[in-house]
Amino acid sequence: MSFIVRFALAAFLFTWAALAAAQQQDFSKVVIKASKVSGNVYMLEGSGGNIGVSVGDDGIVIVDDQYAPLAEKIRAALKGITDKPVRFVINTHYHSDHAGGNENFGRDATLVAHDNVRKRLMSGSFAGNGGSVKNEMPASPAIALPVVTFDHAVTLHMNGEDIRALHFPSGHTDGDSIVYFTKSNVVHMGDDFVTYGFPFVDFLSGGSVKGIIAACEGTMEQLPKDAKVIPGHGPLSTFDDVSRYVVMLKETTAAVSKGIKVGKTLEQLKKEKVLEPWKKFSGAFISADAFIETLYSELTDKKKATPLVKH
Ligand SMILES: [Zn+2]
């Protein structure tokens, strides 16, 4: 391979590390780590989104199921906690690092998600920030589609507690749920809250930074202050961490908005490094420039995607 090709390939792999890992990553090396969070709830970390797990006499409920090739490893990790079967899977959204395991778990568990998760899995979809980050999510086979869908909220009564999935519109995507384990006092925030820095906001799938802020604030308003927080990606967190993340989202939105109001172009905003004060959030997946694109797309309202439902 020539240097240029190798360089281009490396840059490509780097950009798509988080979203397109399914095609490029060596999943044989992934180790699934299980840890107890509180009450009936465990958390599994491997590659892709964190998995929330409820265990008890009624069986297992998991929130998200990571990438398709990891399903057997996830099953093995669950066996280490309990012999009970997986009865329900709740998807926080449709991305393949959170719902990829559906095609395996869908064989013997009931898949539950917001209406738009089913629609996007069925048709396939483009995930992107409205700028340089864009990736195709291919259509899923029928076995991987949620068979119970909801528009606003649904409750599973399992293992001695209510497990509530609450939809917040237009956050990370247009089909996000946060899932609250009411007695264990643990919430899985999906990708409305992540700890890897500037978030990936899937503008092309109806997501918005504004909606993520609303989802985080709405969750904190409704739940006890001491709830334990499982982020979409990253270590176990608290609402203090979510509050700091919301402050960063509001401040960066204001900075880009100010630039747009005085007539600055996207290129100027990038060149002037308007997000420099928040550079510690600039990451390998979503750089400061990519987050400027995200906010610019949203604030100039050049919606390339039409939300599938209005709220
Ligand atoms: Zn996602």
Side-chain angles (χ1 to χ4, degrees):
M1 250 192 295
S2 76
F3 172 76
I4 303 251
V5 170
R6 261 186 291 136
F7 180 81
L9 186 63
F12 177 82
L13 294 178
F14 190 68
T15 309
W16 291 109
L19 263 181
Q23 287 89 46
Q24 288 116 18
Q25 198 179 330
D26 180 2
F27 287 105
S28 68
K29 304 222 162 44
V30 174
V31 176
I32 308 284
K33 183 186 131 203
S35 45
K36 182 158 182 174
V37 178
S38 177
N40 291 333
V41 178
Y42 290 74
M43 170 175 168
L44 299 188
E45 294 161 272
S47 178
N50 289 320
I51 300 177
V53 185
S54 165
V55 300
D57 291 343
D58 300 329
I60 302 176
V61 180
I62 58 174
V63 179
D64 287 345
D65 50 24
Q66 296 190 348
Y67 292 108
L70 294 173
E72 290 308 328
K73 288 190 181 200
I74 293 164
R75 285 185 186 276
L78 293 170
K79 274 264 173 298
I81 306 172
T82 174
D83 277 336
K84 298 276 182 184
V86 178
R87 293 196 42 208
F88 294 94
V89 177
I90 304 173
N91 295 136
T92 61
H93 62 290
Y94 83 97
H95 290 155
S96 59
D97 54 334
H98 294 258
N102 280 15
E103 61 187 66
N104 180 305
F105 289 101
R107 298 195 301 242
D108 47 15
T110 303
L111 308 178
V112 182
H114 182 263
D115 297 333
N116 290 344
V117 173
R118 182 179 160 90
K119 285 178 189 163
R120 291 201 183 275
L121 286 174
M122 198 176 343
S123 62
S125 191
F126 277 96
N129 73 339
S132 58
V133 181
K134 193 176 180 194
N135 192 34
E136 188 173 5
M137 297 275 152
S140 296
I143 192 76
L145 301 178
V147 293
V148 176
T149 66
F150 59 91
D151 54 2
H152 287 92
V154 73
T155 306
L156 303 185
H157 305 273
M158 291 279 291
N159 300 329
E161 70 180 329
D162 289 355
I163 302 170
R164 297 269 294 155
L166 306 169
H167 169 62
F168 288 93
S170 189
H172 173 64
T173 68
D174 61 4
D176 309 301
S177 296
I178 66 112
V179 182
Y180 183 50
F181 303 88
T182 54
K183 208 161 141 189
S184 301
N185 196 23
V186 179
V187 61
H188 190 311
M189 303 270 305
D191 281 359
D192 278 339
F193 172 62
V194 294
T195 68
Y196 58 69
F198 292 132
F200 171 55
V201 181
D202 191 350
F203 180 74
L204 298 185
S205 305
S208 69
V209 177
K210 199 172 143 201
I212 288 184
I213 293 169
C216 289
E217 289 186 331
T219 300
M220 289 191 284
E221 244 168 63
Q222 292 178 52
L223 305 189
K225 284 196 168 25
D226 61 349
K228 293 202 160 63
V229 177
I230 299 176
H233 298 265
L236 191 68
S237 302
T238 65
F239 278 156
D240 283 343
D241 300 318
V242 179
S243 295
R244 282 191 284 271
Y245 170 76
V246 167
V247 168
M248 177 275 284
L249 295 178
K250 286 183 174 174
E251 288 176 350
T252 50
T253 301
V256 171
S257 174
K258 199 173 140 201
I260 292 170
K261 280 199 185 110
V262 297
K264 285 186 181 156
T265 63
L266 175 61
E267 284 64 37
Q268 282 172 313
L269 294 168
K270 285 185 187 175
K271 218 171 146 205
E272 292 172 13
K273 299 190 184 299
V274 285
L275 297 188
E276 190 66 7
W278 300 273
K279 67 169 182 237
K280 69 170 179 182
F281 295 98
S282 186
F285 179 32
I286 301 297
S287 64
D289 278 358
F291 200 55
I292 292 172
E293 292 168 358
T294 303
L295 287 164
Y296 188 87
S297 306
E298 181 177 333
L299 292 166
T300 54
D301 205 29
K302 287 192 284 189
K303 279 260 178 211
K304 290 179 193 123
T306 315
L308 292 165
V309 285
K310 298 223 183 313
H311 290 269

